Structures are given as structure tokens and as C-alpha cells.
Amino acid sequence: MHISILDVFHPRQSRIHGLDPRVKLLGSLLIILTAVLLPEGAWLSQGILFGLIILLSSASRLGPFFIVRRSFIALPFLLAALPLPFLTPGPPLWSVPGLGWVVTSTGLVRFLTILIRTWIAVQASIVLSATTPASDLMWGLNALRFPRLIVAIIGFMLRYLFILADEALRMVRARASRSPRLAGIKRPGVIWQSRVAGAMVGSLFLRSLERSERVHAAMLSRGYDGEMRILHQPINKSLDWLLLLGMILLLSGIFYLSIWS
Amino acid sequence: MLLSPEPLHIPDGFLTPLLAAIGWLFAAIIISIALRQTRQQLGERQVPLMGILAAFIFAAQAINFPVAAGTSGHLLGGALAAIVMGPWAAALIMTAVVSVQALIFQDGGLLALGWNILNMGVLTAFAGYFSYRAMHKWIGRSTSGRVLAAFAAAWLSMEVGAIAAAIELALSGTSPLRIALPAMASVHALIGVGEGLITSGAVRLLQVSRPDVLDAGDSAPGRLPAAFVASGLFLAILLGAFSPLAANSPDGLEYVARIGGFISLAEVPAFAFLPDYTIPFITHPAVTTILAVTIGTLIVFSVTLIVGRRTARKEV
Amino acid sequence: MHHTVDIRNLHFTYGDGTQALRGVDLYIAPGEKVALVGPNGSGKSTLFLHLNGILEGEGEIKVCGKPVRAETLGEVRAAVGIVFQDPDDQLFSQSVYDDVAYGPIYMGCSPSEVDQRVERALISVGMQAARDRVSHHLSQGEKKRVAIASVLSMDPDRLVLDEPSAGLDPRARREFIRLLAALPQTMLVASHDMHMVAELFPRMIIIDQGKIVADGSTADLMGDQRLLETHGLEAPCGDFIPAK
């Protein structure tokens, strides 16, 4: 049994897939940073940045709808910014008929900017995680000098994510199989339901605890001594770093364009 | 949704880069302390245990229960992690969870990850832990004592995380405080009930089958530093609520626009956390909400205490 | 005095009071293929965890002539390769290569030596094609083979396997038995799979409630129905060719 929704890496033969993981990590971060630093209303710059993302997405051969679908995850949060067009003081643009709420131009600009920023950031992140297998991501973080312990912990989490999510899914299915819905009979209340769910969580916890003991024993059996030791695969594609440099120049260009315009 | 349903994962674009950087700084400091504390606590079991428990939390977030009319309650997990593992281990576990959610599943931004870790990982864990211990002590050592304490603690952990997130959004000019704070606080007062129910359900199971696990969580080390860190962090965020940035005044917005458009670090305001003007107390949005939340918390905790004491007496 | 396992009067009690081992005596000579059988809870897994020092009981354990103690743990763990029941517990790295490379890395081998060992180990279990794959995409049988490879890469003198054929479908099980038959190491295997025991292991030890109750040739013991039933076991039905 396999929960495919957790498989975010999509192997393809593409230029992006083949890039050095460090370059991809840094590149995504720089794109996100640029997107966030662009001032409000810098439409041209935002447009160029947007275009860059589209370029990277198509270069990664993931298909246009793939990325669009995945970016919906940020949607609920955009509701938080929804009041902005109405509450930001500025020259009024339009008034909601019947309610009298006024949308200001500054408010709208601000809201749209946030929308585009978020969208660009999510896209960049999607391209990163879809084109880079977990092991490469971990290697990249280590190579970029992230604290080794944290990366190791995340590595273990990723490794056992599927197994534990699978166990959780099986429990949910087993519960559903024993949850009849008969006409005319009232279902048990929230408290009872939460107890059942809580018991499932509790037992999953105990199983995870026991599994971690077994994994620890297996690690000890192969020589683990508490130190995280990694084999550094010598990837050295200087062309990738040149590409990164090129992108840095492009991003700086976009940024300065936004300031001067 | 299999992937975290809680509306606390702030995406990129919602926080100013400066604020995001500050969040990263705080998070980095706290994570390094947590690494050291858990190293002492767990020795070389640290890595596999933290990693697998992080996977557990993530998987457990998929276990839901119907609340009302098609909606369901879920677990975020900060309070539960702290109850069974202690505050620092929980902070580390939740850091892994939130990081993976952001990096792999785009649930929360990468620049905003610092604050997301602090809101969902550190504040929830610490607030949950300390309120759990306090409640447990006041209710008394009984089977239901732990369960009820867990409920109150988990509820509060959500509130604390939500308030922090709302303030951070306001400081970035994304969502005005007078809307964000009450909205987040009230939504999470409801969501917190779900969190409380499922957390207490889990604690009930553990109390029955493996009370030694709960005992171990109770005696987890590093309490004093955790208390300091948690209160310091929360206080800092709270003060931010009283800064002009958050009050949605024209000055505040103008300022944010300037930060966004023109990098001039020399103008970085230290006063963001040290307001130097008089606050119109009664009408300030932060005050009213915080007042409301405090009253709400007191109500939740008092009710839990009363119910707990009564059930405890019955059990004896 | 090399390559032997010498256990004398081993006792072990768990933290909650369960007495798991009550005076176990065991001697395994180099090259032997031994099966350890017994009902669930008889102490098989507990015994195995003593072989490389993960659990510490009272009594004497000597591996390769050296007592298993804190100072010798490193060598012991390289000499005794334990393959646990659930392959997912042992495949804890990001890829097959990483998992098989784990042991050699911790032994301090150079990157090129690690590479060679991984290659050899994967070939001997027939999984060289899976080098860069992710463990959770493998089938149960494949995972078990990689788990063995992760231990083989350390070049242990003896292999200890806990329920190796459990959970495998007939084809995977057949391949696995073939694999075990081809491995040259001294082997100690805990199993309920009496057919496999009869086929591969000339010597059989029966353990029940923490004590060894029988130790002899598989062919002889398999014929003793009453002995097997007393200890919660069953002889394999039908014809089988006992290993010599």
C-alpha cells in the first residue's frame, strides 16, 4: 500500500532535474527572496519574474497543470489578506453595491502584489521539491552547512513518513469499515468520536516509539555511535554554478528595474 | 486534506523580509538550544527518535474525527509532543514537521519558515507543556487529571500560536491587527477544542496503557530554560502588537511600503518592539482581543479545573 | 578460537520484570548453519540482541573469542551481522546505496572501498539494479534482500537472521532460500518456517521460555513429533530433504 500523494518527487529527464541540488536550493531561495523584496505595484518586474518561473517550470518537464494544481495549497491563506483592498486607506476605486465597502486602489495594488508574490514563491518551491529527490535535498542541505543533526532528523522523518502515514491510513480505513451509518439511528457524539481518534493517535505514537527503538538497534548493529557520518558524493558541475550566477544577475536586474521604474 | 489542515502555515509573501529574517534568527537560536538539551536527554537515540516521532506527528495529523456538519477536527501536535517528550524534544520534533511541510509540501513558505516553526513548533509546545503541568498539578494526580489537563493545554497552545501568527501578519502589514487578531483568536478557539479533544484522547490511551511514557514526559529536563525562552519570545511578539506597525495606522503602512521597496537597513526601527507613545488603551485592537482571549482562557481552565477536581474526588 | 559464538549461562530480565532468558548455553562453531526455533516469546529475538551487545545480560558471551563488552562492541558489530525481522527497521537511509554503505562508512572505510563493498553486497543478493532506488518503493522480498546486503557490506563472519522468510510470498520465499543457501557465512537463523529449516540448516536448537530444551541434528529432532508439539512447534508435513 502506498500513499502516492506524499511522493512529491517526479523523476524526469530534464535540465532542472539534473542540476546540482545546492544550486536548486539556493536558486529557489533567491527567487523567493526577490519576489518578496519587489515593491508594491512593480508590475513589470513581477511579470518578468513570473516569466522566469514559467521558464523553469517548462524546463523541468513537469507539465503546466501539475504546478498549477499544487499551488492551490496557498489558497486558504489568501483569505487572510482579503480585507486589505477594503481597509487600506487611499484613493477609492470601487464600492461594493449595497454594503458600501470601498475598495481603494492602494489596497488593491497591495493585495495583488501579495497574491503574485505568494504564487511565485510557491511555484519556486514546487519546482524544487518536484525535481529533487529527498536524498539529494538532504545532501544539498548538508553541503550548504545546515546543522547536521537537523538534516539527519528530517532525513529520518522523510524515510519513515510513508510507513507511519500508511499505518495511520490503515487505522482510518479500519475505523471507517466499522462505522455503519444506519437510517434513523443517531451517530455517536463528538466526544466519543474524538476519543476514538485520540486512541488511534495514542496507539500510533506507541508503535512509533517502539519502531524507533528497533531502528536504533539496527543502527547500533551497523556501527552507529551517535555521530552522523555521511559519504560526500563529489558532484561538481561547474556549469550549474554558472547558471546560478546568471540567475543571480537576472534577479538583481529585475530588482533594480523595480526600483528605478 | 492529508497535509496539515491548520490555517497557521504562513506562506511566503505575507511577511516582510526583515520580519522573516528575525524569525529565522530566533528559530535558529532556539533550535540549537533544543538540539543540545535533547542530546543530554536522549543521548544517541536522539536522531532516530526525533525523526520517527516527527513522522508520527505528520501521520497523526491525518487522523480526523467528525465535529459538525461535514467539518472535522485534526491534530496539530505541538502540545501532545510536549506532553509525552518534554518541551525541547517537542520543539525539535515540530521543527522537523513544519520544515518538511514547507520544503516538500509547500505548506507554509520558506522565508516564513522561521516564524512558522516558532508559532507551530515552539510556542505551541512550550505553552502546551507548561499549562499541562500546571493544570495537572492543580487538578491532582488522578487518571482524569492528566486527560483534562491535556485538553486545556492543547487548547491554549493553539491560541498562543494563532495570536503570534496574527501579530506577525499585522507587523508585516498583510492583515490589519484589528481584523487578524480577533479572527485568528476566535477561529483557533474553535479549532483548539478539536485539538484539545484529540490530544486528551491520546493522553487517555497512554495513561491506560503506558503511564510510564507520560511520567517520563513529566520529568523531561530543561524546564527552566524553556520557561524563559517561551515567555521571552511570546512577550516580544506581544509587544509587537503595540507597535505602530501593527496598529494599521497610515504611518505603519507607509513604513511597510518603504521597507518593501527600498532597502535601507539604517532605518530599521528598533522601536517596533519598544513603543514610545501613549496607547489609547480601550480601543486598541490588540488589547481588546488579548483581553478577550485571556478571559476565554481563564474560563476554559477554570471549567477544566472544576470538572477535573470533581472527577478526581469521585475516583478516590 | 576464531569465528565462534560461545554463550554460557545467559540470563536476562526485562525492565518490567519479564524473565526472557534463563540460563542459555550455546556454542556455534565456524561454518555451522544453525536454526533456532521456538514459540513466540521464547526468547529468540532477545538472545539475538545479546549477540552484538545491544542488550546486556548476566552470563558470559564470547564472540570470536572476545567477551562482548563496551570496548569490543565495535569489532563485534562488524563481525556479527544481525538482520532483523522488519526490513523497514533496517532500511533507514534515503536510498538503497546509502543503507548498504552505512555499515562500511561507520567502519571507517574510504569512499572507494565503501563503493566496492556496496557493489559486492548488492551483487550477492541480486539487487545491484536497485542501487539508487528509494526503500519504500521496493517490494517486501526486495527489502529483505537489501537488508541482508546492508549487513553483508560489513563482511561479517557470521550472519544472524530473525524470521527471514516471514511475510514473503512463495516466489520471493523461494528466491530468498536460494540466496541463503548460497551465502558462505556461519549462520544462525530464528524461524517458524520449518520447511526452510529442514532444507537449509543441519543443526536445530529448540528454545522455550528462555531455556534451550533441545540441540541436535535437524533430521533427528524433526522426527520427534512429541518434542516439537510440547514446545509449540509442528514438523513440516510431506516430504522434505533434510540438510546434511
Side-chain angles (χ1 to χ4, degrees), chain C residues 110-164:
Chain C
S110 67
S112 56
E113 209 191 328
V114 169
D115 216 54
Q116 282 171 22
R117 283 174 179 246
V118 171
E119 194 62 28
R120 277 201 309 261
L122 285 176
I123 289 177
S124 56
V125 302
M127 291 291 293
Q128 31 324 6
R131 234 182 88 116
D132 297 312
R133 290 182 62 192
V134 183
S135 346
H136 69 260
H137 285 150
L138 300 173
S139 72
Q140 194 67 2
E142 289 172 330
K143 282 189 203 172
K144 289 215 164 209
R145 286 195 270 162
V146 175
I148 291 193
S150 72
V151 158
L152 286 179
S153 59
M154 296 170 67
D155 275 339
D157 306 311
R158 69 190 46 70
L159 281 179
V160 177
L161 298 110
D162 198 347
E163 299 293 343

Side-chain angles (χ1 to χ4, degrees), chain A residues 5 8 32 37 70 73 77 80 84 87 110 118 125 129 157 161 175 190 195 198 201-203 205 212 216 224 226, chain B residues 2 7 9 11-12 14 17 39 44-45 49 51 56 58 64 67 104-106 173-176 179 202 204-205 260:
Chain A
I5 194 177
V8 295
I32 296 174
L37 284 174
R70 288 268 298 271
I73 198 163
F77 225 90
L84 269 182
L87 293 174
R110 170 147 263 260
T118 310
S125 188
S129 62
M157 178 186 172
L161 203 54
R175 178 182 64 177
V190 179
R195 263 194 219 171
V201 169
S203 56
F205 170 74
S212 79
H216 185 229
Y224 181 60
Chain B
L2 191 67
H9 294 76
D12 277 328
F14 280 65
R39 188 63 167 206
E44 20 133 282
R45 290 157 53 214
L49 183 60
F56 152 71
F58 187 94
N64 61 352
V67 172
I104 311 281
F105 301 106
Q106 285 77 51
T174 311
S175 216
I179 293 199
R204 158 173 280 138
L205 179 105

Side-chain angles (χ1 to χ4, degrees), chain A residues 89-233:
Chain A
L93 206 58
W94 174 65
S95 165
V96 177
L99 284 167
W101 292 346
V102 180
V103 174
T104 62
S105 59
T106 16
L108 195 62
V109 163
R110 170 147 263 260
F111 177 73
L112 288 175
T113 305
I114 292 183
L115 196 73
I116 296 178
R117 265 189 205 148
T118 310
W119 200 88
I120 292 177
V122 171
Q123 296 292 79
S125 188
I126 290 175
V127 173
L128 173 66
S129 62
T131 62
T132 322
S135 53
D136 283 358
L137 275 177
M138 298 298 108
W139 179 88
L141 288 173
N142 269 318
L144 290 173
R145 303 272 176 228
F146 256 72
R148 235 181 228 189
L149 283 178
I150 287 283
V151 180
I153 291 175
I154 291 181
F156 270 87
M157 178 186 172
L158 287 174
R159 170 61 189 100
Y160 286 97
L161 203 54
F162 296 84
I163 294 178
L164 292 183
D166 204 64
E167 284 187 39
L169 185 66
R170 269 183 275 146
M171 276 198 277
V172 170
R173 282 190 190 162
R175 178 182 64 177
S177 310
R178 277 151 50 200
S179 305
R181 233 172 275 192
L182 300 171
I185 300 192
K186 222 173 64 149
R187 287 202 295 157
V190 179
I191 306 277
W192 185 86
Q193 297 273 17
S194 70
R195 263 194 219 171
V196 170
M200 287 160 70
V201 169
S203 56
L204 187 64
F205 170 74
L206 287 178
R207 274 193 258 171
S208 310
L209 207 60
E210 282 156 23
R211 184 179 284 278
S212 79
E213 301 276 305
R214 298 197 301 270
V215 169
H216 185 229
M219 290 169 79
L220 286 176
S221 304
R222 273 145 66 195
Y224 181 60
D225 54 6
E227 292 293 314
M228 295 318 299
R229 258 169 256 188
I230 337 145
L231 200 62
H232 273 281
Q233 298 143 294

Side-chain angles (χ1 to χ4, degrees), chain C residues 5-109:
Chain C
V5 173
D6 195 357
I7 302 178
R8 312 233 178 137
N9 202 19
L10 186 61
H11 288 261
F12 182 77
T13 310
Y14 276 106
D16 60 5
T18 329
Q19 249 194 308
L21 297 174
R22 305 163 198 245
V24 169
D25 291 296
L26 184 59
Y27 181 82
I28 300 182
E32 281 202 273
K33 312 263 186 197
V34 185
L36 186 65
V37 302
N40 282 340
S42 52
K44 304 193 290 288
S45 305
T46 311
L47 178 62
F48 284 1
L49 288 174
H50 280 83
L51 291 175
N52 66 356
I54 290 178
L55 292 179
E56 245 183 86
E58 286 145 28
E60 245 183 75
I61 307 185
K62 282 205 200 132
V63 170
C64 304
K66 295 197 196 93
V68 176
R69 268 206 296 262
E71 314 86 68
T72 56
L73 280 185
E75 300 170 53
V76 168
R77 284 169 187 174
V80 179
I82 303 191
V83 182
F84 297 90
Q85 200 165 339
D86 188 348
D88 281 319
D89 293 340
Q90 293 158 99
L91 304 184
F92 46 73
S93 306
Q94 302 301 325
S95 67
V96 165
Y97 182 93
D98 287 336
D99 264 312
V100 182
Y102 191 88
I105 291 177
Y106 273 85
M107 283 167 65
C109 302

